[in-house]
Amino acid sequence: MDEPRKSEWVRFGLHLKRLRTQQGLSLNRLADRAEWSATYLGKLENAKRAPNADVVRDLDRELRTNGALLRAWNDVVRAQAALDWYEQSRGYEKRAHEIRFFHPLVVPGFFQTPEYARVIVTHTVPTASEKRIQNVIRTRESWRKDLDTDGGLVLNVILTELALTRPIASEVMREQLDRLIQEAERPTVTLQVLPSGISDLAWLSGAFRLVYIEGEQPLLCAEHAIGEYLTDDEQETRKMETVFSKLQAWALPPDVTARKLGEMRQAL
C-alpha cells in the first residue's frame, strides 16, 4: 500500500531521479545493480514510499555519490521527525489546561508579530526563502490560535529583558511590545520579565515549556540547537519545574512587568 506523499519525500525522490538520469541509468538497470525492485525504486522517486537506510546505502553505493545520497536521506529523516514532533506537541497543547513557557533569547513564537517573526527568521537563517519565512509566520499565528486562552487555558510566560532589548528596528519592536501588553491584559495570561544582571544562572537552562493536561503526567518540551525534545519523564520534568519556579521568583511581578513593557514602548 502506498503511503501519503510528504514534501520531504518528494524532494528526496526528485534528487534520486536526477542522480539516476545524470548517469544514464534506467530504473530497471539501477534496480538490477542495487538489487531492489524497479517498482519499489519507482515509488521512492515518486514519493509514494518512505526511503529507509538500507535501500539508500545500496543506492548511494551504486550511484557512487560518496555519501551524498545518504546525507540527503538523513535530512529527510530529520525534517520528518521535526514535523512529527511538531504535530505531536501541538496535539498535547490543545488538550492542556496550563502551559509554562520560558525563552532566554526571543519573544515566544506564539506571541510574535509577523514582522518580529520575519526579523528573527532572517537573522537565524539568512538563506531562508520568502516562502519559508511566510510559512514560519503562518505557523506561529496558527500556534497562538491553538492556545485557546479564552477557553480557559492558562499561560505562564517568562521573558528575559535581553529578548526585549535586542537591536531590532523601533517600529518592529513597538508593534511587538503592543502585542505583549495586549496579551498581558488577558486574565488567563501571566507575563513576567526576567531582569538582566540577576545572579542566579537558572536562565541559562535554555528555552523550554511545561505542558499540563488534566489527569496526565506533565510534559517537558525543551529546545536545542537542531530541534526540540519532548518527554514525560518525571525526574526531568520536576527538575525543570524547579527551574521555572526559580525564574518566577527572580522575574518582575506581572503588574511591574506591565509597567516596564509600557515604559519600553514609550522609549522607542
Side-chain angles (χ1 to χ4, degrees):
M1 180 178 179
D2 293 344
E3 301 175 30
R5 286 166 60 93
K6 297 186 178 181
S7 60
E8 293 80 13
W9 299 352
V10 171
R11 286 193 292 271
F12 181 86
L14 291 173
H15 182 55
L16 174 59
K17 185 175 183 178
R18 183 166 55 251
L19 290 172
R20 175 177 63 78
T21 55
Q22 284 175 349
Q23 296 190 30
L25 293 172
S26 67
L27 199 57
N28 286 329
R29 179 58 179 155
L30 178 60
D32 288 341
R33 287 171 52 170
E35 298 183 347
W36 291 87
S37 76
T39 299
Y40 177 61
L41 296 188
K43 288 184 176 182
L44 293 186
E45 289 188 351
N46 290 292
K48 293 182 178 180
R49 290 292 300 273
N52 62 62
D54 290 336
V55 66
V56 173
R57 288 192 190 96
D58 291 342
L59 292 171
D60 186 81
R61 182 190 66 244
E62 296 304 325
L63 292 169
R64 300 187 298 278
T65 62
N66 297 317
L69 188 62
L70 193 58
R71 288 192 293 274
W73 175 80
N74 280 323
D75 289 342
V76 172
V77 172
R78 283 195 296 269
Q80 190 58 50
L83 179 60
D84 291 344
W85 182 93
Y86 174 82
E87 292 174 349
Q88 184 182 26
S89 177
R90 292 296 87 79
Y92 285 127
E93 290 176 353
K94 288 178 181 179
R95 296 166 50 213
H97 64 83
E98 179 185 357
I99 299 176
R100 303 174 188 176
F101 188 99
F102 171 70
H103 201 302
L105 301 177
V106 297
V107 172
F110 50 78
F111 280 169
Q112 291 179 9
T113 63
E115 286 308 309
Y116 181 91
R118 175 180 292 277
V119 170
I120 297 302
V121 174
T122 54
H123 277 73
T124 54
V125 188
T127 59
S129 65
E130 179 61 24
K131 181 178 180 180
R132 179 173 180 180
I133 293 171
Q134 289 295 332
N135 184 56
V136 169
I137 291 172
R138 285 193 298 271
T139 298
R140 293 181 181 179
E141 289 177 332
S142 174
W143 189 7
R144 181 63 188 96
K145 292 177 182 177
D146 287 343
L147 299 177
D148 184 16
T149 48
D150 291 334
L153 171 64
V154 174
L155 285 180
N156 290 299
V157 180
I158 300 176
L159 309 173
T160 63
E161 189 172 358
L162 172 65
L164 300 175
T165 55
R166 285 181 169 278
I168 294 176
S170 296
E171 61 272 18
V172 174
M173 279 309 301
R174 274 196 295 268
E175 184 182 27
Q176 182 60 69
L177 287 167
D178 284 341
R179 171 70 179 276
L180 291 174
I181 292 169
Q182 180 184 25
E183 292 286 357
E185 292 174 350
R186 295 177 181 269
T188 52
V189 174
T190 298
L191 186 61
Q192 294 179 262
V193 169
L194 187 69
S196 298
I198 64 170
S199 58
D200 196 294
L201 298 180
W203 70 277
L204 294 177
S205 60
F208 68 93
R209 59 189 180 276
L210 294 157
V211 181
Y212 296 85
I213 301 171
E214 194 69 41
E216 298 184 22
Q217 174 68 24
L219 293 165
L220 166 65
C221 304
E223 295 186 17
H224 54 79
I226 59 172
E228 295 185 314
Y229 169 66
L230 178 67
T231 181
D232 62 355
D233 181 82
E234 185 175 0
Q235 185 174 356
E236 291 190 38
T237 301
R238 285 185 175 178
K239 181 176 72 174
M240 298 314 292
E241 284 180 321
T242 300
V243 170
F244 195 85
S245 294
K246 293 177 71 175
L247 292 169
Q248 279 184 311
W250 281 100
L252 301 176
D255 58 335
V256 179
T257 289
R259 289 198 298 272
K260 185 172 185 64
L261 292 175
E263 291 168 359
M264 296 177 75
R265 170 66 174 80
Q266 290 296 322
L268 291 174

